[in-house]
Amino acid sequence: MLKRLGSLAADKFLQRRYLHLLFLAVAVVFAFSNSLKGSFHLDDHYLIESNAGIRRVFPLHRHFIDPSTISSLKRITQYRPMLPLTLSINYFFTGKSPMGFRVGNILFHFIAAIVVYFLVLELFEFLRLRLSPTAAQNGAFVASLVFGVHPVSGFPINYLSARDLILMTLFMVSSLLIYVRMRNRGASLWGWALSLSLFALALFSKTNGAVLPILIVLFEGVVKQKGIVSLKPWKASLPFWGVLAAQFAFKRFYVGFSDFTNAVPQSVSPFHYAAVQAKYHLFEYARNFIWPFYVRIMPEGEAFTSYFDIKVLLGALFI
């Protein structure tokens, strides 16, 4: 009798999970279906419309050793090989249709939302909170739904060239999911290989994925309560720092490419860029998350004045 009741509970648990994922799919498609008739914008013309580098799929490795496959305009070339690779596969199936590429972006975004769902479930299990399975699933569903349909997510879906951001998020969150599962259920060689490989793919999608080692430190120091100032969280993150260093060395010394040198004028200091981003994180990006109804591609931002600008300091404190 107890075995049967346990089986029924497990069936209900799975049915609720399937319903959540089905509703998530419907919500994501509904939220962004009005973007399907959109056209190419800005860098889309160089990365997709006139880019000969995505007109064929094979050989796959060419994107990892030749940064020029990403764009027909050298000035905006960046080393993000997963972007032209997926665009070439998209082009193979849908041709140069903007709708086809936008469907691809929605699909990748939906998969990322699914990963968020399972990551939150895994975090609930790790924290050993006194939540019923139903409450845990509902919490994971709400988190993935906010991620899935939030208007901020509409930017990388509408702006096709921003697929690199979707891919980076997908691979980074997947890597974190595998890591948390290992901390829940025991590490394995295959688990480490998968987590670190996914992290490498995140870096090959967009360099912003470099924040993952810091997330690992925060997970170990805050969630596991080991303390950020102790050595244990930093030791746990060492494999991720190693992948980051290896990817940087491969890009810089084997491929011979520097994103910063190529994209930023030599007269601009990297500290200048960091200061501007600190200000924008609080006064633009955070605002857009809380009140997203004015999200749009903006004109050039305010001119940089001083590292001691109150907005820069508040933004750095916020981060």
Side-chain angles (χ1 to χ4, degrees), residues 141 171 185 192 220 294 304:
F141 172 67
F171 292 126
R185 309 174 192 192
W192 272 111
E220 293 289 336
Y294 295 99
F304 178 76

Side-chain angles (χ1 to χ4, degrees), residues 101-124:
F101 290 99
R102 203 155 275 115
V103 167
N105 281 20
I106 292 174
L107 177 62
F108 283 122
H109 177 66
F110 170 61
I111 297 172
I114 293 177
V115 177
V116 169
Y117 179 85
F118 286 104
L119 174 62
V120 175
L121 276 180
E122 203 67 40
L123 286 170
F124 279 149

Side-chain angles (χ1 to χ4, degrees), residues 9-237:
D11 288 344
K12 280 190 174 182
F13 186 81
L14 288 175
Q15 287 173 6
R16 190 180 302 110
R17 178 177 295 181
Y18 293 143
L19 284 174
H20 282 162
L21 296 180
L22 176 61
F23 188 83
L24 181 62
V26 172
V28 169
V29 171
F30 178 77
F32 302 116
S33 59
N34 62 346
S35 71
L36 293 178
K37 294 182 180 180
S39 59
F40 293 121
H41 300 284
L42 301 173
D43 291 349
D44 294 345
H45 296 292
Y46 308 110
L47 273 64
I48 300 175
E49 192 174 25
S50 62
N51 185 11
I54 66 168
R55 297 294 183 266
R56 57 190 174 93
V57 176
F58 298 101
L60 299 177
H61 71 275
R62 63 196 171 93
H63 303 293
F64 293 85
I65 59 176
D66 182 9
S68 68
T69 63
I70 198 174
S71 173
S72 61
L73 181 64
K74 186 177 185 304
R75 180 170 55 82
I76 61 171
T77 297
Q78 296 284 285
Y79 185 72
R80 299 167 186 174
M82 290 303 295
L83 176 59
L85 174 58
T86 60
L87 289 176
S88 68
I89 296 172
N90 217 140
Y91 184 87
F92 176 81
F93 287 104
T94 64
K96 205 161 41 174
S97 162
M99 181 182 292
F101 290 99
R102 203 155 275 115
V103 167
N105 281 20
I106 292 174
L107 177 62
F108 283 122
H109 177 66
F110 170 61
I111 297 172
I114 293 177
V115 177
V116 169
Y117 179 85
F118 286 104
L119 174 62
V120 175
L121 276 180
E122 203 67 40
L123 286 170
F124 279 149
E125 184 174 336
F126 182 87
L127 291 168
R128 305 291 190 269
L129 299 176
R130 293 180 179 178
L131 292 174
S132 67
T134 300
Q137 283 190 319
N138 289 341
F141 172 67
V142 170
S144 61
L145 186 63
V146 171
F147 172 84
V149 304
H150 195 286
V152 165
S153 299
F155 187 90
I157 287 175
N158 282 289
Y159 185 26
L160 298 173
S161 300
R163 176 181 293 188
D164 52 6
L165 182 61
I166 300 175
L167 293 170
M168 181 275 294
T169 304
L170 168 59
F171 292 126
M172 185 178 71
V173 177
S174 298
S175 176
L176 184 59
L177 169 61
I178 299 301
Y179 180 81
V180 175
R181 283 180 68 90
M182 286 197 296
R183 302 300 280 139
N184 258 338
R185 309 174 192 192
S188 68
L189 184 61
W190 286 108
W192 272 111
L194 181 57
S195 182
L196 295 176
S197 297
L198 288 166
F199 177 43
L201 290 177
L203 294 173
F204 282 128
S205 299
K206 195 167 186 176
T207 313
N208 302 47
V211 300
L212 182 57
I214 297 296
L215 294 181
I216 298 297
V217 171
L218 292 173
F219 173 78
E220 293 289 336
V222 177
V223 180
K224 292 206 66 176
Q225 299 182 342
K226 291 182 178 179
I228 296 176
V229 294
S230 71
L231 288 177
K232 287 184 179 179
W234 295 93
K235 287 172 65 177
S237 68

Side-chain angles (χ1 to χ4, degrees), residues 283-294:
F283 292 96
E284 296 293 343
Y285 307 150
R287 182 202 67 186
N288 287 340
F289 180 79
I290 298 167
W291 188 256
F293 304 101
Y294 295 99

